[in-house]
Amino acid sequence: MRAVSLLAVVGLVSAHYAVEYPTWRADSLAENTTYSEWNYPCAGVPYGVGNKTEWPIKGASVALDLHHPWAYVYINLGLGENATNFNISLTPQLLNVTGTGNFCLTDLPVPDTIADGQAATIQFVTGGQSGSALYNCADIVFRSSATSPSDGTCSNSTGVTATIVGQATTTSSGSTPTPTPNSAPAGALGVVPQTAVLGMALAFILGVMM
Ligand SMILES: [Cu+2]
């Protein structure tokens, strides 16, 4: 039983995450490369080796394929060719995303000052239980004429949910909060399913394998 559990966790933690849209600079999970998602700012993938996507100025979306039980997700923007300063946050509210599989964010808050034809790089950052971060980048050109994929191709897998960290859980007026004696205090851990907690504990033990 124990062996089965450990194998299951190894499966979860061995693949970090993939960027599905816009197309990432290159597949940072590919074998036989020096790429590593541990490496800031773009997983060791040099600028110019890969794809550049025409990305909408309004209604922009991103899609990830998440492989960990949960992650804090940050999406940053750096302007220009070969940007190194990712100083524009497209996720001003910290997101805790639980579950594995497809995760989609739509209508990202692109600054009004961005003009048609502006080159930029989107930096994806996920933070996990260890405190370390995983990085990926996608190179783009903003286009007012571009459109994001339709809803069918940008959706959340079953069980994938995003919670804004630090935002109090909303309850309808008059309702009585359900006692949860063994749960963590208010905050991120309170929303993590028990299965994820188990996975996190085992992942901690196996931290070197992440
Ligand atoms: Cu991983």
Side-chain angles (χ1 to χ4, degrees), residues 10-117:
V10 169
L12 284 174
V13 301
S14 60
H16 299 332
Y17 70 101
V19 179
E20 303 287 347
Y21 179 82
T23 309
W24 51 3
R25 181 173 291 180
D27 180 357
S28 62
L29 300 173
E31 296 180 4
N32 302 317
T33 71
T34 58
Y35 304 159
S36 169
E37 292 184 3
W38 296 114
N39 293 339
Y40 177 92
C42 293
V45 183
Y47 183 74
V49 302
N51 311 284
K52 190 171 273 192
T53 301
E54 295 197 332
W55 204 54
I57 295 177
K58 297 222 183 305
S61 66
V62 297
L64 302 176
D65 184 6
L66 301 172
H67 304 147
H68 289 187
W70 66 275
Y72 298 132
V73 174
Y74 313 79
I75 300 171
N76 302 317
L77 186 69
L79 298 181
E81 305 281 350
N82 198 10
T84 56
N85 184 12
F86 300 93
N87 60 336
I88 299 170
S89 174
L90 299 180
T91 48
Q93 294 174 300
L94 176 58
L95 297 176
N96 182 355
V97 183
T98 62
T100 60
N102 296 323
F103 173 61
C104 176
L105 272 180
T106 59
D107 295 317
L108 293 169
V110 171
D112 291 340
T113 50
I114 302 280
D116 187 57

Side-chain angles (χ1 to χ4, degrees), residues 76-174:
N76 302 317
L77 186 69
L79 298 181
E81 305 281 350
N82 198 10
T84 56
N85 184 12
F86 300 93
N87 60 336
I88 299 170
S89 174
L90 299 180
T91 48
Q93 294 174 300
L94 176 58
L95 297 176
N96 182 355
V97 183
T98 62
T100 60
N102 296 323
F103 173 61
C104 176
L105 272 180
T106 59
D107 295 317
L108 293 169
V110 171
D112 291 340
T113 50
I114 302 280
D116 187 57
Q118 170 72 56
T121 295
I122 303 166
Q123 180 195 45
F124 299 88
V125 186
T126 66
Q129 165 271 338
S130 71
S132 296
L134 300 170
Y135 302 93
N136 274 302
C137 288
D139 300 311
I140 60 162
V141 177
F142 281 102
R143 291 292 180 204
S144 53
S145 59
T147 55
S148 284
S150 56
D151 288 346
T153 56
C154 189
S155 59
N156 289 353
S157 294
T158 302
V160 173
T161 57
T163 306
I164 297 171
V165 174
Q167 179 166 294
T169 305
T170 54
T171 55
S172 56
S173 65

